[in-house]
PDB file of all heavy atoms in Angstrom:
ATOM      1  N   SER A 361       4.610 -20.549  28.548  1.00  0.00           N
ATOM      2  CA  SER A 361       4.213 -19.369  29.236  1.00  0.00           C
ATOM      3  C   SER A 361       3.035 -18.657  28.504  1.00  0.00           C
ATOM      4  O   SER A 361       3.051 -18.573  27.247  1.00  0.00           O
ATOM      5  CB  SER A 361       5.306 -18.457  29.506  1.00  0.00           C
ATOM      6  OG  SER A 361       6.442 -19.074  30.184  1.00  0.00           O
ATOM      7  N   SER A 413      20.660 -15.165  21.312  1.00  0.00           N
ATOM      8  CA  SER A 413      21.477 -14.403  20.437  1.00  0.00           C
ATOM      9  C   SER A 413      20.771 -13.386  19.568  1.00  0.00           C
ATOM     10  O   SER A 413      21.282 -12.553  18.788  1.00  0.00           O
ATOM     11  CB  SER A 413      22.312 -15.307  19.598  1.00  0.00           C
ATOM     12  OG  SER A 413      21.379 -15.971  18.662  1.00  0.00           O
ATOM     13  N   THR A 561     -12.567  -3.636 -14.407  1.00  0.00           N
ATOM     14  CA  THR A 561     -12.806  -4.998 -14.825  1.00  0.00           C
ATOM     15  C   THR A 561     -11.692  -5.999 -14.440  1.00  0.00           C
ATOM     16  O   THR A 561     -11.930  -6.994 -13.858  1.00  0.00           O
ATOM     17  CB  THR A 561     -13.071  -5.115 -16.410  1.00  0.00           C
ATOM     18  OG1 THR A 561     -14.099  -4.234 -16.718  1.00  0.00           O
ATOM     19  CG2 THR A 561     -13.391  -6.532 -16.754  1.00  0.00           C
ATOM     20  N   ASP A 729     -13.725  21.046  19.305  1.00  0.00           N
ATOM     21  CA  ASP A 729     -14.602  21.965  18.662  1.00  0.00           C
ATOM     22  C   ASP A 729     -13.787  23.016  17.854  1.00  0.00           C
ATOM     23  O   ASP A 729     -14.115  23.398  16.796  1.00  0.00           O
ATOM     24  CB  ASP A 729     -15.529  22.684  19.605  1.00  0.00           C
ATOM     25  CG  ASP A 729     -16.553  21.740  20.149  1.00  0.00           C
ATOM     26  OD1 ASP A 729     -16.829  20.684  19.583  1.00  0.00           O
ATOM     27  OD2 ASP A 729     -17.143  22.042  21.179  1.00  0.00           O
ATOM     28  N   ASP A 805      -2.129  -8.310 -23.696  1.00  0.00           N
ATOM     29  CA  ASP A 805      -1.579  -8.585 -25.016  1.00  0.00           C
ATOM     30  C   ASP A 805      -1.828  -7.265 -25.877  1.00  0.00           C
ATOM     31  O   ASP A 805      -2.322  -6.283 -25.378  1.00  0.00           O
ATOM     32  CB  ASP A 805      -2.213  -9.783 -25.751  1.00  0.00           C
ATOM     33  CG  ASP A 805      -3.719  -9.619 -25.763  1.00  0.00           C
ATOM     34  OD1 ASP A 805      -4.330  -8.488 -25.638  1.00  0.00           O
ATOM     35  OD2 ASP A 805      -4.414 -10.680 -26.065  1.00  0.00           O
ATOM     36  N   ALA A 815      -9.033   4.222 -25.954  1.00  0.00           N
ATOM     37  CA  ALA A 815     -10.011   4.853 -25.028  1.00  0.00           C
ATOM     38  C   ALA A 815      -9.341   6.145 -24.375  1.00  0.00           C
ATOM     39  O   ALA A 815      -9.976   7.098 -24.103  1.00  0.00           O
ATOM     40  CB  ALA A 815     -10.445   3.796 -23.941  1.00  0.00           C
ATOM     41  N   SER A 864      10.712  -7.364 -26.725  1.00  0.00           N
ATOM     42  CA  SER A 864       9.391  -7.772 -27.180  1.00  0.00           C
ATOM     43  C   SER A 864       8.260  -6.993 -26.291  1.00  0.00           C
ATOM     44  O   SER A 864       7.219  -6.732 -26.859  1.00  0.00           O
ATOM     45  CB  SER A 864       9.177  -9.280 -26.885  1.00  0.00           C
ATOM     46  OG  SER A 864       9.272  -9.643 -25.449  1.00  0.00           O
ATOM     47  N   GLY A 923      10.199  11.379 -27.535  1.00  0.00           N
ATOM     48  CA  GLY A 923      10.993  12.238 -26.542  1.00  0.00           C
ATOM     49  C   GLY A 923      11.721  11.377 -25.550  1.00  0.00           C
ATOM     50  O   GLY A 923      11.564  10.035 -25.474  1.00  0.00           O
ATOM     51  N   ASP A 936      23.927  18.047 -25.866  1.00  0.00           N
ATOM     52  CA  ASP A 936      24.280  18.551 -27.117  1.00  0.00           C
ATOM     53  C   ASP A 936      24.027  17.476 -28.208  1.00  0.00           C
ATOM     54  O   ASP A 936      23.664  17.897 -29.348  1.00  0.00           O
ATOM     55  CB  ASP A 936      25.696  19.050 -27.233  1.00  0.00           C
ATOM     56  CG  ASP A 936      25.980  20.351 -26.480  1.00  0.00           C
ATOM     57  OD1 ASP A 936      24.915  20.996 -26.065  1.00  0.00           O
ATOM     58  OD2 ASP A 936      27.137  20.668 -26.152  1.00  0.00           O
ATOM     59  N   ALA A 991      18.216  24.802 -28.648  1.00  0.00           N
ATOM     60  CA  ALA A 991      18.027  23.817 -29.599  1.00  0.00           C
ATOM     61  C   ALA A 991      16.553  23.792 -30.176  1.00  0.00           C
ATOM     62  O   ALA A 991      16.326  23.080 -31.280  1.00  0.00           O
ATOM     63  CB  ALA A 991      18.373  22.410 -29.069  1.00  0.00           C
ATOM     64  N   LEU A1048      18.879  35.626  -7.954  1.00  0.00           N
ATOM     65  CA  LEU A1048      18.878  34.796  -6.806  1.00  0.00           C
ATOM     66  C   LEU A1048      19.991  33.729  -6.960  1.00  0.00           C
ATOM     67  O   LEU A1048      20.736  33.507  -6.013  1.00  0.00           O
ATOM     68  CB  LEU A1048      17.551  34.006  -6.680  1.00  0.00           C
ATOM     69  CG  LEU A1048      17.373  33.043  -5.545  1.00  0.00           C
ATOM     70  CD1 LEU A1048      17.362  33.887  -4.204  1.00  0.00           C
ATOM     71  CD2 LEU A1048      16.066  32.308  -5.653  1.00  0.00           C
TER      72      LEU A1048
END
Side-chain angles (χ1 to χ4, degrees):
S361 304
S413 67
T561 303
D729 289 343
D805 58 18
S864 61
D936 289 346
L1048 183 66

